[in-house]
Amino acid sequence: MIKRILVTGGAGFLGSHICERLVDEGHDVICLDNFFTSQKTNVSHLLDFPNFELIRHDITLPIHLEVDQIYNMACPAAPGHYQYNPIKTIKTSVLGSINMLGIAKRCGARILQASTSEIYGDPEVHPQPESYRGSVNPIGPRACYDEGKRVAETLFMDYHRSNRVDVRIVRIFNTYGPRMHPYDGRVVSNFIRQAIGGEPITIFGEGDQTRSFCYRDDLVDAILAMMNGPDDFIGPVNIGNQGEFTIRQLAELVIELSGSSSELVRKPLPPDDPTRRQPDITLARERLGWEPQVSLREGLAKTIEWFQSIRLADYRPPTPNYS
Ligand code: NAD
Ligand code: UDP
């Protein structure tokens, strides 16, 4: 059945792919974005579709819309972006969630929150299951994002318990792919941009910290499955790829796949940088029947190809922390 669907942060990396899928499925899609970390070009190919609408709006401010489903993706996600204006980042997670939950309550809409593995902080439990409550430094430079997202989860659960709002929470682990902002400062975008530009590849710290990288198509499959999944499964659910790599291994793979001759250089490790991260996806497997399909090698090759096809000059200047 055709639905009216709101995607906040819909012009961003993940949001734009969600919009694309939903437009393809024939839904009436409203993409709402303030373009803080994205640009219209991510969705310009959708503008001529009669079932797609683009609104420039900031979710920290109220808005009245009539919809059946909401994907709440709006929030700067890269450390350089979310630390650029940390107070605004918290407002986006907290006031933004309250505003979107208000729409869901009024319309009886189902609402999905893009939460994050960052709510586990620098984890003492490995891999991280949903039951792990995390180890976040509440006063560090990452806290605006981590604690903002933790409060957002709290708000979602309280609106669910107090007002019976139909919520879904997904905890997304590092996801990459075409349409990442080339200057967002995240490790995959930095390494690929540096490798194809012949610049030194910047390893923060020893490079033995780990991440588990999920390709965007797998992620979008899981998010759509969660939104349209069983009525009694609200999450939180971990979504990510279990393949765990050190940052140094990632750099070596990017160099190999791009045929680059870039050298590796060391930079200081940012404060509170999590030492290791790997999702336990047992719950997603059991309840959504979902399993990532794309290996890091395959996903990186596609992402490198996309980075080679874009003009960096078309992207707005980097934020100060992009490295
Ligand atoms: P992104 O920066 O490309 O997308 C975020 C979008 O939200 C951008 O288009 C930005 O302009 C918009 N936005 C930011 N603040 C806004 C506001 N106040 N009002 C309206 N729009 C606003 O990042 P992404 O990687 O696509 O992340 C999307 C969501 O998924 C975020 O909520 C992020 O926290 C979450 N997430 C992503 C990852 C990942 O690895 N990509 C991991 C965990 C969680
Ligand atoms: N990182 C790095 N070089 C870079 C950018 C990031 O070594 O140019 C490291 C960073 O210190 C972290 C990991 O890569 O350990 C992932 O960083 P990212 O910002 O992509 O995501 P997050 O830390 O939020 O998982």
Side-chain angles (χ1 to χ4, degrees):
M1 199 174 79
I2 291 176
K3 296 193 174 64
R4 296 164 303 176
I5 306 180
L6 170 63
V7 183
T8 76
F13 161 48
L14 296 177
S16 62
H17 290 293
I18 293 174
C19 285
E20 204 170 270
R21 284 273 192 103
L22 297 173
V23 166
D24 277 356
E25 288 176 10
H27 298 293
D28 255 324
V29 178
I30 302 173
C31 166
L32 183 156
D33 207 296
N34 69 353
F35 304 110
F36 172 46
T37 60
S38 59
Q39 55 277 309
K40 272 188 244 167
T41 48
N42 279 350
V43 287
S44 50
H45 60 296
L46 299 175
L47 288 173
D48 287 339
F49 285 85
N51 56 337
F52 181 78
E53 195 179 340
L54 178 59
I55 302 177
R56 180 189 286 266
H57 179 80
D58 187 321
I59 59 161
T60 63
L61 302 169
I63 185 168
H64 271 232
L65 294 166
E66 309 300 323
V67 292
D68 305 308
Q69 290 185 341
I70 304 170
Y71 291 83
N72 190 34
M73 309 301 293
C75 187
H81 283 159
Y82 68 66
Q83 290 168 17
Y84 177 73
N85 184 345
I87 297 165
K88 181 63 192 257
T89 300
I90 301 179
K91 284 186 182 174
T92 298
S93 278
V94 177
L95 299 178
S97 292
I98 291 171
N99 287 328
M100 295 308 115
L101 284 159
I103 297 181
K105 182 180 164 192
R106 185 170 51 79
C107 299
R110 178 172 288 184
I111 178 166
L112 177 144
Q113 167 65 357
S115 191
T116 168
S117 51
E118 286 285 323
I119 67 113
Y120 300 124
D122 191 4
E124 303 115 325
V125 172
H126 194 77
Q128 296 81 55
E130 290 82 354
S131 54
Y132 176 51
R133 292 182 187 178
S135 166
V136 172
N137 173 5
I139 56 170
R142 297 176 81 101
C144 59
Y145 182 72
D146 303 5
E147 298 289 17
K149 290 281 187 180
R150 287 174 69 95
V151 173
E153 287 201 10
T154 307
L155 283 164
F156 270 68
M157 291 311 297
D158 283 335
Y159 269 75
H160 177 66
R161 282 188 289 256
S162 306
N163 296 309
R164 292 193 296 279
V165 173
D166 187 8
V167 301
R168 295 285 181 275
I169 299 172
V170 293
R171 293 183 179 155
I172 304 170
F173 284 64
N174 297 62
T175 302
Y176 68 98
R179 267 189 228 146
M180 295 186 88
H181 194 297
Y183 291 114
D184 67 11
R186 289 190 257 201
V187 70
V188 174
S189 20
N190 265 8
F191 284 6
I192 295 179
R193 200 193 67 249
Q194 292 161 342
I196 64 185
E199 296 165 25
I201 293 191
T202 50
I203 306 262
F204 297 168
E206 301 291 328
D208 51 10
Q209 68 272 37
T210 68
R211 295 293 186 272
S212 305
F213 299 98
C214 184
Y215 188 63
R216 59 108 211 258
D217 291 355
D218 283 331
L219 192 280
V220 173
D221 284 348
I223 286 196
L224 265 59
M226 185 60 181
M227 176 63 102
N228 300 299
D231 282 347
D232 65 340
F233 185 47
I234 66 173
V237 62
N238 288 338
I239 302 296
N241 191 310
Q242 289 199 292
E244 186 185 4
F245 296 84
T246 67
I247 294 309
R248 191 170 285 278
Q249 285 174 320
L250 177 73
E252 283 159 3
L253 193 52
V254 167
I255 288 177
E256 180 201 321
L257 293 173
S258 61
S260 169
S261 51
S262 288
E263 51 167 356
L264 304 185
V265 295
R266 294 265 301 281
K267 289 221 174 179
L269 189 68
D272 294 341
D273 199 286
T275 327
R276 52 193 189 158
R277 188 182 284 157
Q278 186 193 30
D280 179 335
I281 55 169
T282 312
L283 192 61
R285 275 201 195 101
E286 282 173 9
R287 298 302 312 265
L288 302 176
W290 172 84
E291 182 89 45
Q293 303 296 321
V294 182
S295 69
L296 183 59
R297 177 173 282 275
E298 194 186 336
L300 277 182
K302 290 181 185 177
T303 311
I304 290 169
E305 200 178 310
W306 179 80
F307 269 76
Q308 284 165 335
S309 75
I310 59 169
R311 278 187 355 131
L312 288 178
D314 291 341
Y315 289 82
R316 275 188 304 167
T319 57
N321 298 328
Y322 88 105
S323 105

